[in-house]
Amino acid sequence: MTKQWKLKEIVLMSILGVVFGVIYLVFFLVGEGVRNILAPFGLAPFGYEVIYGVWFIVAIMAAYILRKPGVAFTAEFIAGIVEVLLGSAAGPGLLLSAAIQGAGAELAFALTGWKDYRLRVLVLSGISTAVVSFAWHLYSAGMIALAPWLIVSTLIVRIISAALISGVLGKWLSDQLAQTGVLRGYALGKELQRKRKYESA
């Protein structure tokens, strides 16, 4: 499989980045709502953590669909640019967070030489993104000031959220999209076609 990106792959990656950039911005409001609900119970720090996997999903979906080096990082960064352009409260600093999250997602695929896109690798990508982003947020978001038990607890919740939302749900959404036939010209679509031919043989 060639590692060079085709124009149609760049277009699809960009579309995914734009769509999820909008979704990410919407989920910022969702996170605020969850945070306000948990605040009276002293659990406000978990408000965003329970849904944090949402902010990694485009990197994993794009990588799973296109299967090329750099796709996870680029798709996540594009989503970050869209969020900033749409007026995210996080401001331009969000671009650095997006780059760090994209790098975290890319790490798992790099460890396989960008050759393994099974569910366990997608879940690992979500987990690696969660850990890398959490390490960054410890200082950039001041989380290091939290009680040790709260730091550990929020990390665990972020890891679970990333594994389930970006890994498991990301794969499921991509597979459903492939089932429609719109991904026929991409790696995931071609894999699905091969499976169908094998099953019908």
Side-chain angles (χ1 to χ4, degrees):
M1 181 186 297
T2 177
K3 293 184 178 181
Q4 186 175 358
W5 294 355
K6 297 178 181 178
L7 178 59
K8 65 180 182 181
E9 293 172 332
I10 296 173
V11 170
L12 178 60
M13 179 176 56
S14 300
I15 290 173
L16 289 171
V18 170
V19 169
F20 278 95
V22 174
I23 292 174
Y24 287 0
L25 198 57
V26 170
F27 267 84
F28 174 78
L29 300 177
V30 174
E32 279 293 297
V34 176
R35 190 174 185 277
N36 291 336
I37 292 171
L38 295 177
F41 305 99
L43 300 174
F46 293 95
Y48 285 99
E49 301 303 331
V50 295
I51 60 170
Y52 222 99
V54 169
W55 284 285
F56 310 149
I57 197 169
V58 72
I60 293 173
M61 285 184 65
Y64 179 51
I65 292 169
L66 301 177
R67 306 186 180 191
K68 297 281 180 72
V71 167
F73 174 85
T74 307
E76 191 72 27
F77 193 69
I78 290 173
I81 292 173
V82 172
E83 281 189 88
V84 171
L85 292 178
L86 290 177
S88 170
L94 179 62
L95 296 179
L96 181 55
S97 291
I100 290 171
Q101 290 173 186
E106 196 75 48
L107 176 61
F109 300 113
L111 291 174
T112 72
W114 292 277
K115 295 177 181 178
D116 191 343
Y117 291 88
R118 287 174 291 179
L119 177 59
R120 64 187 184 187
V121 178
L122 303 186
V123 169
L124 178 61
S125 179
I127 292 173
S128 65
T129 310
V131 173
V132 170
S133 67
F134 193 86
W136 163 247
H137 288 142
L138 273 177
Y139 298 96
S140 67
M143 295 177 70
I144 193 67
L146 297 175
W149 73 268
L150 199 51
I151 293 176
V152 174
S153 299
T154 50
L155 172 59
I156 291 172
V157 172
R158 184 178 296 199
I159 287 174
I160 294 172
S161 175
L164 295 178
I165 297 177
S166 57
V168 178
L169 180 60
K171 181 181 187 302
W172 183 83
L173 289 174
S174 301
D175 287 338
Q176 296 309 302
L177 193 59
Q179 291 287 349
T180 68
V182 299
L183 300 178
R184 284 191 301 270
Y186 304 94
L188 177 58
K190 291 176 181 177
E191 180 184 69
L192 180 60
Q193 287 177 309
R194 287 194 296 269
K195 287 182 179 179
R196 285 174 174 172
K197 287 181 180 179
Y198 178 78
E199 290 171 356
S200 62

